[in-house]
Amino acid sequence: MHSALARRARRGGKAVKRQPAYPGPVKPVVGVLGGMGPMATVDFLTKLIARVPAGTDQEHLPLAIWSNPEIPNRTAALMGCGPSPVPALLDGVARLLDMGAETIAIPCNTAHAFLDQLREATGATFLDMIDATAAAAATAAAGDDHIGILSTRGTRAAGLYAAACLRRGLQPIEADQLDQELLVDVAIEYVKGGGHLDLAARLIETAVFRLVERGATVVIAGCTEIPIVSGRASASVQIIDATDCLAAAVVDAVWSR
Amino acid sequence: MHSALARRARRGGKAVKRQPAYPGPVKPVVGVLGGMGPMATVDFLTKLIARVPAGTDQEHLPLAIWSNPEIPNRTAALMGCGPSPVPALLDGVARLLDMGAETIAIPCNTAHAFLDQLREATGATFLDMIDATAAAAATAAAGDDHIGILSTRGTRAAGLYAAACLRRGLQPIEADQLDQELLVDVAIEYVKGGGHLDLAARLIETAVFRLVERGATVVIAGCTEIPIVSGRASASVQIIDATDCLAAAVVDAVWSR
């Protein structure tokens, strides 16, 4: 299985039988491994389209999107209380390579805990949402090194943002255990459920405020569900939207090619 | 080419090599042939997700989406001043069948002028946005049979909505030639270009008002770019959103399966 994936990746992901009359899009195909959750994928697509400097349909980027909401919960797996999402993620990567994807973006922060496994198993080219976001936070912090982080329990347990911040000499400040459970986790659940968005926004606003109290000058919205509501929050601190950072990374990677 | 597509369609579109550890999603995969334009596809996805009665990520529908903004302009082809989009559309259908799509939705009204060709060439199962929208208009009209139609010049030249309305005993009222050119076409171009959305909304509002003056009691927003701005218009008449009608048709077709 893995070697078939690797072969496909080496061919640049071009597995689709080309139509004689249509050789496929001219621009490179961006793959999106999504559905974690579905609205977060749509939020990412909206931000990606907004960032492409196109004036007509035809100038936009071709996208292959696999949105599989049935991928097992990433946080549950990382907390040791659910099945691994890796087989379902690899299945998605295979489908995207079949569709002709050359570069793959995963609009789910927590799924990045498995990024090394996906890279090793497939040899495909992935963009790194965590690294792109930490880079944007470093720029925004402009010398002050206290970066607040809001994420799922899984992202936090895997230490994704803490490690990315430390690699850039930034000091990560994560929500304390109680705020994680009572504010962040609940807000994420509300957004995933599609209801109570105003309440979720208030919870995130409170969580941001508590990080600011502890010295954060910039806060990373490091779960794709959070930027969906953090725009409604009236926080006075700069929020770094990880979803938008991934969109920017896609445009950087493929637009000029 | 066509027979390979037809074979794949007969297999239920299941061309992906399954991972031993992950047999693929349990729910049927909905294919979305999009990118015409990219924002219209995102608008469709947003409406589809909103219509799925799911409480968690895992309950949502798996989607395979091919968003190819390079597909030649449908209206230009129908007006005889551009290449046919059919080869690029068939290429998209092949990719979606490869991804495992069992039912395909096309969030582009004008592309439906080529639906019979796609059906014949591939044997795949497509949902019909035009028919679903005309059915919703008939219900909304509740006995009054004057249905206003806003669409691209291509949809209009192909007579898609006029024929669908007449089939249901409804009287279609299309924008006159000047309104089409000065209001509808310009508004659609603005939305596709991603700018001047407020101005586009005003143009559509005026076009709706002119149809109401001519007796329309219900107006079909029959181009995927129009509902993106018609929500901003303050029209007093009922607007039938073709994009949302397609989303409802998807849920009807696959949710209970």
Side-chain angles (χ1 to χ4, degrees), chain A residues 208-230:
Chain A
V208 168
F209 180 72
R210 304 261 288 175
L211 293 173
V212 171
E213 276 187 321
R214 289 168 55 205
T217 51
V218 165
V219 172
I220 290 174
C223 164
T224 48
E225 266 63 31
I226 295 176
I228 292 173
V229 295
S230 64

Side-chain angles (χ1 to χ4, degrees), chain A residues 1 18-19 26 70 95, chain B residues 1 18-19 26 70 95:
Chain A
M1 172 191 79
R18 301 302 183 190
Q19 309 269 335
V26 174
E70 297 179 17
R95 291 181 201 250
Chain B
M1 170 191 80
R18 301 302 182 191
Q19 309 270 333
V26 174
E70 297 179 16
R95 291 180 202 250

Side-chain angles (χ1 to χ4, degrees), chain A residues 4-16 97-98 102:
Chain A
L5 272 171
R7 273 198 306 279
R8 225 174 286 154
R10 279 195 297 276
R11 290 198 306 268
K14 293 209 171 73
V16 175
L97 295 175
D98 272 348
E102 298 187 21

